[in-house]
Amino acid sequence: QSALTQPASVSGSPGQSITISCTGTSSDVGGYNYVSWYQQHPGKAPKLMIYDVSKRPSGVSNRFSGSKSGNTASLTISGLQAEDEADYYCSSYTSSSSWVFGGGTKLTVL
Amino acid sequence: EVQLVQSGAEVKKPGESLKISCKGSGYSFTSYWIGWVRQMPGKGLEWMGIIYPGDSDTRYSPSFQGQVTISADKSISTAYLQWSSLKASDTAMYYCARLDARPVAGPDYWGQGTLVTVSS
């Protein structure tokens, strides 16, 4: 199972919005509404930010939103803040009854 | 509060064996799948396998089948990842993660990670 494709890096200024894409195939992202997004600060464990494509766990800011179109899922962060600077990973359930992660995207807040 | 607490960092030599642990608390340990994820230095996340502590049903990702062993002791709410003969290429951070009550949704809580360094 190949990793999902994410841009290596994205950047934005405080207050702006950014979108991170996550492209897979019909065997993973396109075939299931089980896409999750994780935030990982340096030296820390990943934290669930979005599940089931667009749902937010309790306690996650509503500045984070998720969507999907075809084989591509997206994470949008609005009103960028300095603390949003981190690595972001997408994950999807697959037709192999497993899960696959994206390669990760480094978000820089300018 | 759901917590997954992993054992501390390890430094080992090639060929040595190792078993790292992940202790769950704040939830019914036997009712949720636990997975192990590898993160090599500067790289992304890779699924290694999962275990259901309730009955020890274990499934491995093809890349890790035969390379590691995943187990659990439900009496002490702890899952394990072990190697019989480490290689330098096993140097990585290893995370345990609890799968959602609907396992297909993926992991919801993560341990803090265990850094394994294999060097002669």
Side-chain angles (χ1 to χ4, degrees), chain B residues 61-94:
Chain B
S61 295
S63 300
F64 294 93
Q65 179 82 48
Q67 306 305 307
V68 296
T69 301
I70 294 171
S71 60
D73 185 341
K74 61 185 179 182
S75 69
I76 55 172
S77 300
T78 300
Y80 301 97
L81 177 66
Q82 69 180 91
W83 295 260
S84 59
S85 181
L86 286 160
K87 301 185 284 287
S89 58
D90 292 318
T91 294
M93 181 71 82
Y94 293 88

mmCIF file of all heavy atoms in Angstrom, chain B residues 61-94:
data_model
loop_
_atom_site.group_PDB
_atom_site.id
_atom_site.type_symbol
_atom_site.label_atom_id
_atom_site.label_comp_id
_atom_site.label_asym_id
_atom_site.label_seq_id
_atom_site.Cartn_x
_atom_site.Cartn_y
_atom_site.Cartn_z
ATOM 1 N N SER B 61 1.038 -5.529 9.136
ATOM 2 C CA SER B 61 1.216 -4.995 7.793
ATOM 3 C C SER B 61 2.229 -5.867 7.065
ATOM 4 O O SER B 61 3.184 -6.353 7.697
ATOM 5 C CB SER B 61 1.704 -3.549 7.851
ATOM 6 O OG SER B 61 0.738 -2.717 8.421
ATOM 7 N N PRO B 62 2.066 -6.074 5.773
ATOM 8 C CA PRO B 62 2.969 -6.971 5.044
ATOM 9 C C PRO B 62 4.451 -6.650 5.227
ATOM 10 O O PRO B 62 5.286 -7.556 5.344
ATOM 11 C CB PRO B 62 2.544 -6.788 3.582
ATOM 12 C CG PRO B 62 1.098 -6.420 3.674
ATOM 13 C CD PRO B 62 0.976 -5.582 4.921
ATOM 14 N N SER B 63 4.779 -5.360 5.304
ATOM 15 C CA SER B 63 6.186 -4.967 5.427
ATOM 16 C C SER B 63 6.813 -5.390 6.748
ATOM 17 O O SER B 63 8.038 -5.466 6.854
ATOM 18 C CB SER B 63 6.329 -3.453 5.283
ATOM 19 O OG SER B 63 5.865 -3.017 4.040
ATOM 20 N N PHE B 64 5.989 -5.641 7.741
ATOM 21 C CA PHE B 64 6.502 -5.947 9.073
ATOM 22 C C PHE B 64 6.235 -7.385 9.513
ATOM 23 O O PHE B 64 6.740 -7.812 10.562
ATOM 24 C CB PHE B 64 5.905 -4.971 10.090
ATOM 25 C CG PHE B 64 6.355 -3.560 9.883
ATOM 26 C CD1 PHE B 64 5.606 -2.678 9.102
ATOM 27 C CD2 PHE B 64 7.546 -3.106 10.426
ATOM 28 C CE1 PHE B 64 6.036 -1.387 8.873
ATOM 29 C CE2 PHE B 64 7.984 -1.809 10.214
ATOM 30 C CZ PHE B 64 7.228 -0.941 9.435
ATOM 31 N N GLN B 65 5.482 -8.126 8.720
ATOM 32 C CA GLN B 65 5.222 -9.531 9.032
ATOM 33 C C GLN B 65 6.528 -10.294 9.124
ATOM 34 O O GLN B 65 7.376 -10.214 8.239
ATOM 35 C CB GLN B 65 4.345 -10.148 7.935
ATOM 36 C CG GLN B 65 4.021 -11.611 8.134
ATOM 37 C CD GLN B 65 2.869 -11.827 9.091
ATOM 38 O OE1 GLN B 65 1.832 -11.192 8.983
ATOM 39 N NE2 GLN B 65 3.061 -12.749 10.029
ATOM 40 N N GLY B 66 6.724 -10.988 10.237
ATOM 41 C CA GLY B 66 7.946 -11.751 10.411
ATOM 42 C C GLY B 66 9.126 -10.954 10.947
ATOM 43 O O GLY B 66 10.157 -11.526 11.302
ATOM 44 N N GLN B 67 8.993 -9.627 10.976
ATOM 45 C CA GLN B 67 10.092 -8.776 11.439
ATOM 46 C C GLN B 67 9.934 -8.397 12.914
ATOM 47 O O GLN B 67 10.925 -8.146 13.604
ATOM 48 C CB GLN B 67 10.150 -7.488 10.605
ATOM 49 C CG GLN B 67 10.217 -7.712 9.099
ATOM 50 C CD GLN B 67 11.373 -8.605 8.705
ATOM 51 O OE1 GLN B 67 12.520 -8.357 9.078
ATOM 52 N NE2 GLN B 67 11.082 -9.669 7.955
ATOM 53 N N VAL B 68 8.704 -8.321 13.382
ATOM 54 C CA VAL B 68 8.408 -7.966 14.762
ATOM 55 C C VAL B 68 7.282 -8.853 15.286
ATOM 56 O O VAL B 68 6.604 -9.527 14.492
ATOM 57 C CB VAL B 68 7.974 -6.483 14.890
ATOM 58 C CG1 VAL B 68 9.112 -5.555 14.485
ATOM 59 C CG2 VAL B 68 6.724 -6.205 14.057
ATOM 60 N N THR B 69 7.108 -8.820 16.597
ATOM 61 C CA THR B 69 6.004 -9.546 17.225
ATOM 62 C C THR B 69 5.228 -8.587 18.108
ATOM 63 O O THR B 69 5.813 -7.881 18.930
ATOM 64 C CB THR B 69 6.515 -10.723 18.073
ATOM 65 O OG1 THR B 69 7.248 -11.616 17.241
ATOM 66 C CG2 THR B 69 5.341 -11.473 18.711
ATOM 67 N N ILE B 70 3.926 -8.563 17.916
ATOM 68 C CA ILE B 70 3.039 -7.732 18.723
ATOM 69 C C ILE B 70 2.270 -8.637 19.669
ATOM 70 O O ILE B 70 1.771 -9.699 19.258
ATOM 71 C CB ILE B 70 2.069 -6.944 17.819
ATOM 72 C CG1 ILE B 70 2.838 -5.929 16.967
ATOM 73 C CG2 ILE B 70 1.005 -6.237 18.658
ATOM 74 C CD1 ILE B 70 2.009 -5.261 15.892
ATOM 75 N N SER B 71 2.199 -8.249 20.928
ATOM 76 C CA SER B 71 1.492 -9.042 21.919
ATOM 77 C C SER B 71 0.830 -8.114 22.932
ATOM 78 O O SER B 71 1.020 -6.898 22.895
ATOM 79 C CB SER B 71 2.448 -10.012 22.629
ATOM 80 O OG SER B 71 3.476 -9.291 23.289
ATOM 81 N N ALA B 72 0.054 -8.702 23.837
ATOM 82 C CA ALA B 72 -0.608 -7.903 24.867
ATOM 83 C C ALA B 72 -0.843 -8.758 26.097
ATOM 84 O O ALA B 72 -1.041 -9.984 25.991
ATOM 85 C CB ALA B 72 -1.923 -7.331 24.357
ATOM 86 N N ASP B 73 -0.814 -8.126 27.253
ATOM 87 C CA ASP B 73 -1.155 -8.767 28.518
ATOM 88 C C ASP B 73 -2.314 -7.986 29.097
ATOM 89 O O ASP B 73 -2.134 -6.906 29.660
ATOM 90 C CB ASP B 73 0.050 -8.749 29.464
ATOM 91 C CG ASP B 73 -0.213 -9.500 30.755
ATOM 92 O OD1 ASP B 73 -1.391 -9.737 31.100
ATOM 93 O OD2 ASP B 73 0.762 -9.843 31.441
ATOM 94 N N LYS B 74 -3.526 -8.519 28.919
ATOM 95 C CA LYS B 74 -4.696 -7.758 29.337
ATOM 96 C C LYS B 74 -4.797 -7.621 30.847
ATOM 97 O O LYS B 74 -5.452 -6.706 31.339
ATOM 98 C CB LYS B 74 -5.974 -8.374 28.764
ATOM 99 C CG LYS B 74 -6.277 -9.789 29.179
ATOM 100 C CD LYS B 74 -7.507 -10.301 28.437
ATOM 101 C CE LYS B 74 -7.835 -11.729 28.801
ATOM 102 N NZ LYS B 74 -9.007 -12.248 28.035
ATOM 103 N N SER B 75 -4.121 -8.502 31.580
ATOM 104 C CA SER B 75 -4.189 -8.420 33.037
ATOM 105 C C SER B 75 -3.528 -7.159 33.571
ATOM 106 O O SER B 75 -3.842 -6.702 34.670
ATOM 107 C CB SER B 75 -3.557 -9.658 33.681
ATOM 108 O OG SER B 75 -2.157 -9.668 33.494
ATOM 109 N N ILE B 76 -2.608 -6.603 32.778
ATOM 110 C CA ILE B 76 -1.938 -5.363 33.204
ATOM 111 C C ILE B 76 -2.107 -4.264 32.149
ATOM 112 O O ILE B 76 -1.370 -3.283 32.136
ATOM 113 C CB ILE B 76 -0.437 -5.603 33.496
ATOM 114 C CG1 ILE B 76 0.274 -6.243 32.296
ATOM 115 C CG2 ILE B 76 -0.253 -6.439 34.750
ATOM 116 C CD1 ILE B 76 1.795 -6.307 32.469
ATOM 117 N N SER B 77 -3.092 -4.446 31.257
ATOM 118 C CA SER B 77 -3.455 -3.411 30.276
ATOM 119 C C SER B 77 -2.252 -2.906 29.487
ATOM 120 O O SER B 77 -2.076 -1.693 29.295
ATOM 121 C CB SER B 77 -4.148 -2.220 30.986
ATOM 122 O OG SER B 77 -5.311 -2.651 31.640
ATOM 123 N N THR B 78 -1.446 -3.819 29.021
ATOM 124 C CA THR B 78 -0.201 -3.439 28.355
ATOM 125 C C THR B 78 -0.030 -4.196 27.037
ATOM 126 O O THR B 78 -0.227 -5.414 26.994
ATOM 127 C CB THR B 78 1.001 -3.702 29.272
ATOM 128 O OG1 THR B 78 0.857 -2.924 30.471
ATOM 129 C CG2 THR B 78 2.304 -3.306 28.592
ATOM 130 N N ALA B 79 0.327 -3.444 26.018
ATOM 131 C CA ALA B 79 0.658 -4.034 24.720
ATOM 132 C C ALA B 79 2.169 -3.946 24.516
ATOM 133 O O ALA B 79 2.836 -3.081 25.107
ATOM 134 C CB ALA B 79 -0.065 -3.300 23.596
ATOM 135 N N TYR B 80 2.681 -4.852 23.693
ATOM 136 C CA TYR B 80 4.127 -4.943 23.487
ATOM 137 C C TYR B 80 4.468 -5.022 22.009
ATOM 138 O O TYR B 80 3.694 -5.517 21.188
ATOM 139 C CB TYR B 80 4.693 -6.182 24.176
ATOM 140 C CG TYR B 80 4.456 -6.252 25.655
ATOM 141 C CD1 TYR B 80 3.380 -6.983 26.169
ATOM 142 C CD2 TYR B 80 5.296 -5.596 26.546
ATOM 143 C CE1 TYR B 80 3.157 -7.050 27.532
ATOM 144 C CE2 TYR B 80 5.076 -5.661 27.920
ATOM 145 C CZ TYR B 80 4.004 -6.387 28.400
ATOM 146 O OH TYR B 80 3.783 -6.449 29.757
ATOM 147 N N LEU B 81 5.680 -4.551 21.724
ATOM 148 C CA LEU B 81 6.277 -4.695 20.397
ATOM 149 C C LEU B 81 7.681 -5.234 20.628
ATOM 150 O O LEU B 81 8.434 -4.641 21.413
ATOM 151 C CB LEU B 81 6.330 -3.340 19.690
ATOM 152 C CG LEU B 81 6.996 -3.286 18.319
ATOM 153 C CD1 LEU B 81 6.196 -4.098 17.293
ATOM 154 C CD2 LEU B 81 7.127 -1.839 17.846
ATOM 155 N N GLN B 82 8.006 -6.343 19.975
ATOM 156 C CA GLN B 82 9.315 -6.914 20.231
ATOM 157 C C GLN B 82 10.040 -7.351 18.969
ATOM 158 O O GLN B 82 9.432 -7.650 17.947
ATOM 159 C CB GLN B 82 9.216 -8.080 21.219
ATOM 160 C CG GLN B 82 8.522 -9.330 20.710
ATOM 161 C CD GLN B 82 8.484 -10.404 21.793
ATOM 162 O OE1 GLN B 82 7.544 -10.510 22.573
ATOM 163 N NE2 GLN B 82 9.521 -11.219 21.811
ATOM 164 N N TRP B 83 11.367 -7.333 19.108
ATOM 165 C CA TRP B 83 12.273 -7.777 18.053
ATOM 166 C C TRP B 83 13.157 -8.886 18.623
ATOM 167 O O TRP B 83 13.614 -8.781 19.767
ATOM 168 C CB TRP B 83 13.184 -6.638 17.602
ATOM 169 C CG TRP B 83 12.542 -5.482 16.944
ATOM 170 C CD1 TRP B 83 12.457 -5.218 15.609
ATOM 171 C CD2 TRP B 83 11.902 -4.367 17.589
ATOM 172 N NE1 TRP B 83 11.813 -4.020 15.386
ATOM 173 C CE2 TRP B 83 11.468 -3.478 16.591
ATOM 174 C CE3 TRP B 83 11.656 -4.031 18.927
ATOM 175 C CZ2 TRP B 83 10.797 -2.294 16.867
ATOM 176 C CZ3 TRP B 83 10.985 -2.851 19.218
ATOM 177 C CH2 TRP B 83 10.566 -1.985 18.198
ATOM 178 N N SER B 84 13.443 -9.883 17.824
ATOM 179 C CA SER B 84 14.344 -10.951 18.271
ATOM 180 C C SER B 84 15.785 -10.660 17.892
ATOM 181 O O SER B 84 16.717 -11.124 18.562
ATOM 182 C CB SER B 84 13.909 -12.293 17.675
ATOM 183 O OG SER B 84 13.907 -12.228 16.256
ATOM 184 N N SER B 85 15.982 -9.897 16.834
ATOM 185 C CA SER B 85 17.330 -9.575 16.381
ATOM 186 C C SER B 85 17.293 -8.214 15.687
ATOM 187 O O SER B 85 16.907 -8.122 14.517
ATOM 188 C CB SER B 85 17.858 -10.658 15.426
ATOM 189 O OG SER B 85 19.163 -10.363 15.009
ATOM 190 N N LEU B 86 17.685 -7.197 16.407
ATOM 191 C CA LEU B 86 17.593 -5.843 15.890
ATOM 192 C C LEU B 86 18.613 -5.570 14.794
ATOM 193 O O LEU B 86 19.711 -6.149 14.777
ATOM 194 C CB LEU B 86 17.801 -4.837 17.026
ATOM 195 C CG LEU B 86 16.641 -4.684 18.002
ATOM 196 C CD1 LEU B 86 17.133 -4.063 19.309
ATOM 197 C CD2 LEU B 86 15.527 -3.858 17.384
ATOM 198 N N LYS B 87 18.223 -4.660 13.898
ATOM 199 C CA LYS B 87 19.108 -4.186 12.840
ATOM 200 C C LYS B 87 19.239 -2.677 12.969
ATOM 201 O O LYS B 87 18.370 -2.014 13.546
ATOM 202 C CB LYS B 87 18.539 -4.539 11.465
ATOM 203 C CG LYS B 87 18.323 -6.024 11.241
ATOM 204 C CD LYS B 87 17.868 -6.308 9.815
ATOM 205 C CE LYS B 87 16.429 -5.966 9.588
ATOM 206 N NZ LYS B 87 15.529 -6.935 10.242
ATOM 207 N N ALA B 88 20.296 -2.140 12.394
ATOM 208 C CA ALA B 88 20.482 -0.683 12.436
ATOM 209 C C ALA B 88 19.276 0.026 11.817
ATOM 210 O O ALA B 88 18.892 1.118 12.261
ATOM 211 C CB ALA B 88 21.764 -0.292 11.708
ATOM 212 N N SER B 89 18.662 -0.605 10.834
ATOM 213 C CA SER B 89 17.524 0.003 10.158
ATOM 214 C C SER B 89 16.254 0.026 11.017
ATOM 215 O O SER B 89 15.246 0.610 10.610
ATOM 216 C CB SER B 89 17.226 -0.725 8.844
ATOM 217 O OG SER B 89 16.982 -2.097 9.083
ATOM 218 N N ASP B 90 16.311 -0.585 12.187
ATOM 219 C CA ASP B 90 15.175 -0.522 13.116
ATOM 220 C C ASP B 90 15.210 0.751 13.961
ATOM 221 O O ASP B 90 14.295 1.003 14.750
ATOM 222 C CB ASP B 90 15.159 -1.741 14.048
ATOM 223 C CG ASP B 90 14.852 -3.033 13.311
ATOM 224 O OD1 ASP B 90 13.946 -3.019 12.447
ATOM 225 O OD2 ASP B 90 15.519 -4.055 13.599
ATOM 226 N N THR B 91 16.267 1.536 13.808
ATOM 227 C CA THR B 91 16.365 2.807 14.525
ATOM 228 C C THR B 91 15.215 3.711 14.117
ATOM 229 O O THR B 91 15.056 4.050 12.939
ATOM 230 C CB THR B 91 17.704 3.493 14.224
ATOM 231 O OG1 THR B 91 18.758 2.701 14.761
ATOM 232 C CG2 THR B 91 17.746 4.894 14.823
ATOM 233 N N ALA B 92 14.386 4.079 15.079
ATOM 234 C CA ALA B 92 13.183 4.852 14.789
ATOM 235 C C ALA B 92 12.479 5.203 16.085
ATOM 236 O O ALA B 92 12.808 4.689 17.159
ATOM 237 C CB ALA B 92 12.223 4.055 13.902
ATOM 238 N N MET B 93 11.482 6.080 15.958
ATOM 239 C CA MET B 93 10.535 6.304 17.042
ATOM 240 C C MET B 93 9.358 5.371 16.797
ATOM 241 O O MET B 93 8.878 5.259 15.656
ATOM 242 C CB MET B 93 10.053 7.756 17.038
ATOM 243 C CG MET B 93 9.084 8.089 18.137
ATOM 244 S SD MET B 93 9.843 8.146 19.759
ATOM 245 C CE MET B 93 10.542 9.809 19.715
ATOM 246 N N TYR B 94 8.904 4.727 17.845
ATOM 247 C CA TYR B 94 7.770 3.817 17.739
ATOM 248 C C TYR B 94 6.631 4.324 18.617
ATOM 249 O O TYR B 94 6.832 4.608 19.810
ATOM 250 C CB TYR B 94 8.173 2.397 18.146
ATOM 251 C CG TYR B 94 9.153 1.793 17.167
ATOM 252 C CD1 TYR B 94 10.527 1.973 17.320
ATOM 253 C CD2 TYR B 94 8.710 1.071 16.056
ATOM 254 C CE1 TYR B 94 11.422 1.463 16.406
ATOM 255 C CE2 TYR B 94 9.596 0.548 15.140
ATOM 256 C CZ TYR B 94 10.959 0.753 15.323
ATOM 257 O OH TYR B 94 11.844 0.234 14.400
#
